Amino acid sequence: MLKKFISQNTLFCALIIVLGFTASCKKSSNTPDKEGVPQGASGTRDELTKDSIYLYAQQTYYWNVGMPSYDTFNPRKYSSNNAIIAAIKALPSTGGKDKYSFIDDGSVASQLSGAGEDYGFSANFDGSDLLRVKYVYPGSPADLKGLKRGYQLTKVNGGGTSRSSADIANLNASIFGDNPSISLTFVKPGGGTQDIVINRASYNINPVLFTNTYTVGAKKVGYIVFNSFTTNATAALDAAFSKFTTDGVTELVVDLRYNGGGSVATSELFTNLIAPPAQNGKVMYTTYWTKTMQDGNATILQNQKFYAKGNDGVTRLYSYFDYSYKPTIAAGNQEVFAKRGSLNGLTRVYFLVTSGTASASELLINNLKPVIDVKLIGKTTYGKPVGFFSIRIDKNDLYIPQFQTKNQLDQGDYFAGMTVDKDVADDLTKDFGDPSEKMLSQALYYSANNNFLALTKDNMISSTSGIGRQQTAAANEKLDHEFKGMVETRKLKLK
């Protein structure tokens, strides 16, 4: 699974994965430069790293207007790199919108490529306060051991599975930590308790967890569960949509309830699989980079180096400063529709979403809203219309928002999340594809009746616990280790 590697509780992002290196912030004299940093400033490795975090933010951070000077901010006074990032996120210039910035050890880049190295499952509390498996990646260690969505976990590494602080601490350490193995006791939906041990292992992430086609009256409705926008998802997506074409699908349900995002390029591909051919050549969305970058003044990006073929076909050393960040097609920052596959004639798309639906998932939804009938079912999404690329500093990757995306109608300010057309709680008691599962059943009902089914007492948990959905959501937030990011993996155009 794509873990969440963050300095605070949550993140959302977009990034470019590049082989490169970063020069540190050393200067050549003892007089202050225009950024207020003493030129030739010496310091420990940690101090120079802290300087770099501030300086990159000063020139590339989406909310860099009004940032304090180096002397005022004084990055070296903070106890850690995470503390600096927390201070940047708290600056008045952000308007409280930055819940995305973080620093990572390189793990995000490898996971984005579809390389899993864990147990391959995740868990949440359901509406009755029971801990259940929420998904399992095909081919993962958990899958090979027979673990399924909906199984109730009663013991994890010998510990309990309640919402107590001690149990949640054990769950975080056990399921999402670095232990070589995990022991589970679970109850299958039909009854019967089973004990298993799952060993951590490497596997290829297949983000397509389930597909099916349903007959609704005279209609064929396709359903796909897509869990992460990895860069290796193309073949699986193409195969799924080829089957939908064969089945004669005219409406589509896209389940993104746990999808925190990933590759921008994969989001574009998915968009083009759904979009009508009549949109070909029209604007899909525009990327608006930080004004400092648009104006060519983010000179610090000269330190981010990589090898690439130039416009003359010769491979040479470039830097991020050699990219154009203007919001134009010529600069590669305005994407147009280009129909992919042969699934034509879709009339409506239902997106199943939760607060964990973020970034590249929201980009997909926002791209399609102006061009097809879109219905959102579930809970308000995470809210991350901004993205970034990785900035290499010493041995770490810095991720701070550097751009915002907007669709062809210039819409894209969903920082508070996208609201849903039908409010429905996640139904962990049912496996993916079960027509009685609450979210999917609403989509199928709408397809048949052109309206949603009224749900009674949907805002309350069952009588087993007697607590509201908000308390369960708070507990699940503590178990939320999904990566949330819109990762810029497209090849930008050199100046």
Side-chain angles (χ1 to χ4, degrees):
M1 72 195 70
L2 286 176
K3 284 186 179 179
K4 177 177 64 177
F5 294 88
I6 55 174
S7 59
Q8 301 296 314
N9 291 331
T10 53
L11 64 90
F12 172 62
C13 25
L15 48 96
I16 300 173
I17 304 302
V18 179
L19 297 175
F21 59 87
T22 300
S24 54
C25 299
K26 294 181 179 179
K27 310 292 178 176
S28 57
S29 71
N30 290 323
T31 58
D33 66 6
K34 64 180 181 180
E35 289 133 359
V37 182
Q39 296 187 16
S42 60
T44 66
R45 192 170 190 166
D46 287 344
E47 288 173 335
L48 292 173
T49 295
K50 291 174 181 177
D51 286 349
S52 293
I53 292 172
Y54 165 82
L55 290 173
Y56 276 107
Q58 187 185 53
Q59 293 194 14
T60 71
Y61 189 43
Y62 190 71
W63 296 284
N64 65 352
V65 175
M67 280 189 66
S69 67
Y70 175 89
D71 285 339
T72 301
F73 186 83
N74 187 12
R76 298 189 183 190
K77 74 181 179 184
Y78 293 96
S79 60
S80 66
N81 296 338
N82 285 340
I84 294 175
I85 293 172
I88 291 173
K89 291 164 67 174
L91 289 173
S93 61
T94 71
K97 292 179 178 179
D98 187 3
K99 52 184 177 181
Y100 322 115
S101 299
F102 69 107
I103 195 162
D104 172 60
D105 63 1
S107 301
V108 165
S110 63
Q111 292 173 359
L112 179 67
S113 68
E117 192 167 353
D118 46 42
Y119 308 123
F121 80 99
S122 189
N124 263 3
F125 292 102
D126 71 4
S128 297
D129 211 15
L130 303 176
L131 187 70
R132 293 185 184 274
V133 176
K134 69 179 184 179
Y135 68 78
V136 179
Y137 275 120
S140 69
D143 181 45
L144 297 179
K145 284 287 188 176
L147 202 63
K148 303 291 184 185
R149 171 179 164 85
Y151 284 11
Q152 179 193 346
L153 301 177
T154 57
K155 285 186 179 181
V156 175
N157 278 352
T161 56
S162 73
R163 293 196 304 106
S164 71
S165 298
D167 281 355
I168 287 180
N170 176 61
L171 293 173
N172 276 318
S174 300
I175 300 175
F176 308 108
D178 297 322
N179 298 326
S181 65
I182 186 172
S183 63
L184 303 175
T185 300
F186 60 84
V187 179
K188 294 183 179 181
T193 301
Q194 185 175 341
D195 296 319
I196 61 172
V197 174
I198 304 174
N199 295 318
R200 179 184 299 274
S202 299
Y203 62 97
N204 291 322
I205 294 174
N206 178 0
V208 177
L209 302 187
F210 183 85
T211 62
N212 195 25
T213 299
Y214 301 88
T215 300
V216 181
K219 298 177 184 177
K220 296 292 184 180
V221 180
Y223 174 63
I224 180 170
V225 182
F226 193 66
N227 211 51
S228 178
F229 287 84
T230 56
T231 58
N232 68 334
T234 300
L237 283 172
D238 282 343
F241 275 76
S242 178
K243 181 63 164 55
F244 291 151
T245 301
T246 300
D247 292 344
V249 164
T250 58
E251 293 187 0
L252 184 66
V253 182
V254 182
D255 195 332
L256 302 173
R257 71 184 74 191
Y258 307 129
N259 192 323
S263 165
V264 169
T266 303
S267 185
E268 286 180 15
L269 182 149
F270 207 147
T271 302
N272 282 317
L273 284 167
I274 296 174
Q279 289 295 316
N280 281 350
K282 298 179 182 179
V283 172
M284 178 190 293
Y285 73 94
T286 303
T287 301
Y288 296 94
W289 296 86
T290 302
K291 189 175 187 302
T292 315
M293 298 168 71
Q294 286 189 41
D295 294 344
N297 294 326
T299 54
I300 196 169
L301 291 176
Q302 293 172 349
N303 293 326
Q304 297 291 313
K305 306 287 187 179
F306 60 93
Y307 283 97
K309 282 187 178 181
N311 297 326
D312 56 3
V314 177
T315 298
R316 57 175 63 89
L317 189 65
Y318 290 94
S319 73
Y320 281 11
F321 186 69
D322 295 314
Y323 282 132
S324 174
Y325 297 100
K326 296 185 180 299
T328 64
I329 291 177
N333 293 311
Q334 195 170 49
E335 294 299 321
V336 299
F337 287 99
K339 180 63 182 176
R340 184 181 182 91
S342 53
L343 181 60
N344 301 322
L346 282 177
T347 59
R348 182 180 294 131
V349 181
Y350 309 87
F351 287 102
L352 309 186
V353 299
T354 67
S355 61
T357 305
S359 190
S361 288
E362 292 170 312
L363 175 64
L364 169 63
I365 297 168
N366 200 47
N367 288 343
L368 290 169
K369 277 189 171 184
V371 303
I372 197 169
D373 185 11
V374 169
K375 302 295 181 187
L376 268 61
I377 301 170
K379 296 294 176 183
T380 300
T381 66
Y382 183 75
K384 189 182 186 298
V386 293
F388 44 67
F389 54 72
S390 61
I391 294 174
R392 191 68 176 174
I393 299 177
D394 196 13
K395 296 181 180 180
N396 296 304
D397 291 330
L398 174 67
Y399 296 107
I400 53 175
Q402 292 139 338
F403 65 82
Q404 181 175 357
T405 59
K406 295 187 177 183
N407 64 23
Q408 65 175 220
L409 299 181
D410 207 35
Q411 299 166 334
D413 288 324
Y414 44 88
F415 286 97
M418 295 177 171
T419 57
V420 296
D421 298 290
K422 182 61 180 178
D423 188 292
V424 183
D426 188 12
D427 185 0
L428 284 161
T429 66
K430 305 292 193 306
D431 202 353
F432 292 124
D434 187 331
S436 67
E437 189 274 318
K438 286 185 178 180
M439 290 190 191
L440 177 58
S441 67
Q442 284 289 346
L444 297 177
Y445 186 89
Y446 196 102
S447 180
N449 300 281
N450 210 36
N451 62 272
F452 291 112
L453 175 66
L455 294 177
T456 59
K457 299 182 180 178
D458 188 52
N459 289 328
M460 290 300 294
I461 303 297
S462 75
S463 58
T464 302
S465 63
I467 62 172
R469 292 189 309 184
Q470 291 184 344
Q471 286 92 332
T472 298
N476 285 330
E477 174 62 25
K478 297 174 183 177
L479 298 178
D480 183 7
H481 291 258
E482 310 303 324
F483 170 80
K484 294 181 177 63
M486 182 165 52
V487 183
E488 180 55 276
T489 52
R490 301 169 304 158
K491 185 178 180 181
L492 300 181
K493 293 185 179 180
L494 295 166
K495 296 175 184 177

